[in-house]
Amino acid sequence: MPVIPVAELGDPRLADYAHATDVALKKARGTEHGLYLAESLLVLQRALRAGHVPRSVLALGSSEEEAVAALAEAGHPEVPVFVGPGELLAELTGYLLHRGLIASMNRPALPDAAALLTGEGTGSGGTGGTGTRRIVVIENVVDPTNVGAIFRSAGAIGADAVLVTPRCSDPFYRRAIRVSMGTVLQVPWTRVGEWHELAPLLAEHGFHTAALALTPDAVSLREFERRVPERVALVLGAEGEGLSPEAIAAADTVVQIPMLHGIDSLNVAAASAVAMWAVSR
């Protein structure tokens, strides 16, 4: 296992960490699908268990042994671990490594949407196979924090897959991964097209599309959960604007969460947890 003390911040082997933005990492040269950063030992371990391939690890001296052990256990003893004091590593990255380490990971190829709906692409999480019954569609949610929180709820409560629309924030962004506690690396997900493509795909695979929105014909979530269809695609919309007209038009049922005290909606991440809990029971 190559453990390399950080001596020179200009070392080209450290370029993945040198104030790199999420967009720059996604377009990193010399990679097939780009890179993402996994913060903390827990997130690294989840990434490795999902079969993601590490490129290197940057660790505080106190986290060196944990990083070495995690890589060795996952079958990647050749991956370099760069170590150094916190102040020096913060100068390199632009932030303190509060969680001990950060790893540069190769982005995996995203699975085909149809494969996720049939269960063929859910080998790293969910129930897989014919058990693919609950999925989440995130439409145009632009805040990585909300995307990460939705994924954490999906992983904890039991969604089998997540579909992400073209204008939704990237689940592999550092903040989304951090907020999700690495569950974006566990819950199978992929990008999908616009609703004129997505709606027929969901219907073809037997999913009842339930859109969370405030419309005059929306049914209460309490009513919907009494007769939850066998397969449900739960659709969550953007912060503030909510779901697009196209999403609402494509829905088999529009659902709203009952509220008190004149409050008409929750943050999209909170709404996702409530709705997923209801349809998963």
Side-chain angles (χ1 to χ4, degrees):
M1 166 66 68
V3 176
I4 305 168
V6 175
E8 174 55 56
L9 296 185
D11 187 331
R13 296 174 297 178
L14 299 174
D16 295 353
Y17 308 103
H19 295 262
T21 66
D22 287 314
V23 174
L25 289 166
K26 186 176 182 179
K27 299 178 179 179
R29 293 181 179 179
T31 64
E32 188 174 2
H33 305 291
L35 304 172
Y36 71 85
L37 296 180
E39 293 181 81
S40 82
L41 177 64
L42 172 65
V43 174
L44 173 60
Q45 290 171 328
R46 286 180 169 171
L48 294 171
R49 283 197 294 269
H52 297 190
V53 178
R55 185 152 134 147
S56 66
V57 176
L58 184 68
L60 297 175
S62 58
S63 299
E64 172 190 332
E65 292 183 2
E66 294 175 329
V68 168
L71 292 169
E73 183 179 354
H76 296 285
E78 77 291 349
V79 172
V81 177
F82 297 94
V83 298
E87 297 79 6
L88 183 64
L89 300 189
E91 185 179 347
L92 171 68
T93 62
Y95 49 86
L96 294 172
L97 271 66
H98 294 293
R99 299 170 187 263
L101 63 82
I102 188 167
S104 175
M105 308 291 297
N106 289 290
R107 283 179 177 241
L110 293 179
D112 178 70
L116 290 188
L117 297 180
T118 59
E120 296 173 7
T122 58
S124 62
T127 55
T130 57
T132 303
R133 299 169 53 245
R134 300 288 182 265
I135 66 170
V136 176
V137 181
I138 312 177
E139 186 197 46
N140 303 345
V141 175
V142 298
D143 186 341
T145 298
N146 283 333
V147 171
I150 292 169
F151 266 88
R152 189 170 182 180
S153 294
I157 298 172
D160 299 306
V162 176
L163 303 182
V164 179
T165 66
R167 287 174 292 282
C168 188
S169 180
D170 193 331
F172 278 138
Y173 279 1
R174 187 168 64 93
R175 187 184 302 172
I177 295 174
R178 182 173 68 245
V179 171
S180 78
M181 296 294 291
T183 51
V184 301
L185 313 175
Q186 293 180 296
V187 179
W189 68 273
T190 197
R191 288 274 181 188
V192 291
E194 303 291 354
W195 279 102
H196 68 276
E197 300 172 343
L198 179 56
L201 182 66
L202 293 172
E204 177 186 348
H205 288 84
F207 281 89
H208 182 102
T209 302
L212 259 66
L214 301 175
T215 64
D217 61 341
V219 302
S220 167
L221 180 60
R222 291 196 181 100
E223 178 182 342
F224 185 74
E225 70 175 322
R226 294 191 188 105
R227 297 182 296 276
V228 178
E230 179 66 20
R231 290 185 168 184
V232 176
L234 191 65
V235 187
L236 305 164
E239 306 90 340
E241 297 179 1
L243 290 174
S244 67
E246 293 78 12
I248 294 173
D252 297 301
T253 305
V254 178
V255 180
Q256 63 178 342
I257 300 172
M259 302 281 174
L260 300 176
H261 308 298
I263 299 171
D264 63 1
S265 64
L266 297 172
N267 166 273
V268 64
S272 73
V274 173
M276 276 188 270
W277 172 257
V279 303
S280 68
R281 290 195 293 169

